[in-house]
Amino acid sequence: MSTENEGTAVPPAPSAPPVPVDAPAASTPQASEAGAPTTPIPPVPPHASGGAQGPELVHAGPAPAYASAEGGAQQGASGAPQHPGPGPEGAWPPPQSPGTPLYADGGAGGAGGAWGSGYQQPAPKPKNGRGGLVAAVLVAALVAGGLGGGLGYTLAKDNDNGSSTTLSASDSGGSVKRDAGTVAGVAQKALPSTVTIEAESTSGEGGTGTGFVFDTQGHIVTNNHVVADAVDGGKLSATFPNGKKYDAEVVGHAQGYDVAVIKLKNAPSDLKPLTLGNSDQVAVGDSTIAIGAPFGLSNTVTTGIISAKDRPVASSDGSGSNASYMSALQTDASINPGNSGGPLLDAQGNVIGINSAIQSTSGGGLGGTSQSGSIGLGFAIPINQAKYVAQQLIQTGKPVYAKIGASVSLEDSTGGAKITTEGAGGSDPVEAGGPAAKAGLKPGDVITKLDDHVIDSGPTLIGEIWTHKPSDKVKITYERSGKTRTVDLTLGARTGDS
C-alpha cells in the first residue's frame, strides 16, 4: 500500500534569473528578508498500530464464502505535503513578500517580487576600463557561442544526405524467456492443471478451496474438508485459470487422511495431470511453491522452503468431527484459508504434498471470523501417502487405513503413546488377534518409537502409522514396567471412516 503524500504537484523550477552587473543600490526601499513570513509545516497524522495474538492450529481452508465476494475493507495511509522554509541568507531566490504566491506567474509590483516577476534593469555605472573589458569579454563570449552554433548547424546541414541521424530507444526489450526451473516457469506450467473448487451444502453453506488434476479421466485431488459440505446432495464445481468451469461430483473422501477425490462432469480431453514427486526424498531447506485460492483469490502462487519434515499434526475444521492426522511436510510458503487441497510443488514443479493446515493466530482478524492469515507455518500431506489414498478412493470409493489394533490415549504428552485400559465404545483396548496382540503389546504399554521415528503422543503414532500401507512391517519400541522392549509388527487394515 502506497504511503506517498498526496497533494498538488510542484511545478518545475524556472530558469535562473539574469546575473546583475555591479550597480548602486536601488532607490526603492527593499523589504526586509528577516521579516518575510514563512509557510508553517502542516502536522503529520499519526499511524495506527495493532497487537499480536496467540497461535492456533486450523485447516488451511476452505475460504469462507464471503471471501469470494467483490469488495472488502480498504486501508491505506496518506501524508500531508510540506513546504520548504526560507533558504539561508543570500540564497536564490529571495524570500517572497507577504501575499505573493510561490512561483507566481506575473510580476509583483514593487520591490521584493517573487521569482518569476518582472526584472528591472539597474542604472548603468559610468564606463571605465574594467567595465569595458568585462563588456568586451561578454560580447566575445556571445559571438563565440553564436559562431559555434552556426558552424554546428552548417556542418549538420552539409552532412545531411536525407537520412536521419536521430537515435531512438527500442520499443521492446525483446522476448522474455522463462526457464523451466524458475518459479515463473514452474507456475506457468502448473497453473493450467490447478482448479479452484466451490462446494455448497443443501442449506447454502460452503466455501472455496483448491485441487489439482490427477489423471486424464478428470479426477481432481483435494482435501476432504474442502468438499465435505457437498458430500450429501450439495453442489460442487471446479474452475480452471482460463475461466472454464465444470460441475463435479465426489468420488470418495477420507476424513482421517483429509484427502478427497472429485471428478469433473464432461471433462475436457486435453487435461494435463501434474507430475507427482517423491515426498520421502524431500529435504529440509528444499524450495517449495504453493498454488491455491487464499481467501477466494484464485490462482495465487507463493514460495518458501521445507522448514521441517515428519511434523505430527492433528487438525480439525472446527465442526466437532473427528480430527485428521498426518506426519506433515512443514513449509513457510504463505498458505491461507482457500489454499487447502492445492499442490505443494518442488523447484522442478513436481507435487510433493497437498496443502492442508496452518498454524494461525487465534481470534481471527480478517473479516472478523475465527480464520486468520499465514504466520509462516503451513502443513502439507506428503504426496506418497496422498497418492495411495487417492488411488484407493478412485478404485473403491472408500479409504483404507493401516492399523496396529490397539487404542491409544489422545492426550498431549511427551513420553509416548500409551495404550489405554479401555477401548473406544467399550471395546477391548487391544484387539483380539490383531497386530498389537500378536506382537505381545498390552494395555498400559507406552510406545516410544515406530521404526526410527520418535513417538511422543497418541496423535503422533496415528499419523506415523498412516504414512504406511496395510501389511507393511514396522518395528515398535515400547516401555513396560520401566523396561524398554522392541518387537516387529505387521500392520493390519481398516476400511472406511467409521
Side-chain angles (χ1 to χ4, degrees), residues 266-355:
N266 301 317
S269 59
D270 58 349
L271 291 176
K272 295 182 179 179
L274 291 182
T275 304
L276 305 185
N278 187 345
S279 52
D280 290 341
Q281 295 179 352
V282 171
V284 173
D286 282 351
S287 297
T288 58
I289 302 170
I291 301 179
F295 293 101
L297 302 175
S298 300
N299 315 316
T300 296
V301 177
T302 55
T303 63
I305 62 168
I306 293 292
S307 52
K309 290 183 62 178
D310 304 320
R311 183 70 76 193
V313 173
S315 61
S316 173
D317 58 5
S319 64
S321 60
N322 295 328
S324 301
Y325 300 96
M326 67 182 102
S327 182
L329 297 175
Q330 179 180 301
T331 181
D332 66 348
S334 183
I335 296 175
N336 291 283
N339 274 104
S340 282
L344 183 68
L345 310 172
D346 61 17
Q348 288 71 45
N350 303 311
V351 182
I352 55 175
I354 301 177
N355 300 317

Side-chain angles (χ1 to χ4, degrees), residues 213-219 263-264 267-268 271 273:
V213 177
F214 187 70
D215 58 28
T216 57
Q217 284 73 48
H219 290 109
K263 187 174 183 180
L264 304 177
L271 291 176

Side-chain angles (χ1 to χ4, degrees), residues 78-79 123 137 240 352:
S78 63
V137 172
F240 286 85
I352 55 175

Side-chain angles (χ1 to χ4, degrees), residues 251-268:
V251 172
H253 59 102
Q255 188 276 326
Y257 290 123
D258 197 20
V259 174
V261 175
I262 66 175
K263 187 174 183 180
L264 304 177
K265 297 179 180 179
N266 301 317

Side-chain angles (χ1 to χ4, degrees), residues 185-199:
V186 170
Q188 192 174 47
K189 183 178 179 180
L191 274 169
S193 298
T194 306
V195 299
T196 299
I197 298 174
E198 294 180 6

Side-chain angles (χ1 to χ4, degrees), residues 323-413:
S324 301
Y325 300 96
M326 67 182 102
S327 182
L329 297 175
Q330 179 180 301
T331 181
D332 66 348
S334 183
I335 296 175
N336 291 283
N339 274 104
S340 282
L344 183 68
L345 310 172
D346 61 17
Q348 288 71 45
N350 303 311
V351 182
I352 55 175
I354 301 177
N355 300 317
S356 180
I358 58 174
Q359 185 82 33
S360 185
T361 54
S362 61
L366 295 175
T369 72
S370 60
Q371 299 184 88
S372 53
S374 170
I375 59 173
L377 291 172
F379 305 100
I381 304 166
I383 194 59
N384 289 7
Q385 175 184 350
K387 176 183 177 181
Y388 164 75
V389 177
Q391 290 172 337
Q392 291 292 324
L393 294 176
I394 292 172
Q395 293 172 7
T396 68
K398 295 182 179 180
V400 179
Y401 297 90
K403 69 173 186 177
I404 63 170
S407 297
V408 294
S409 173
L410 299 181
E411 296 179 359
D412 292 335
S413 66

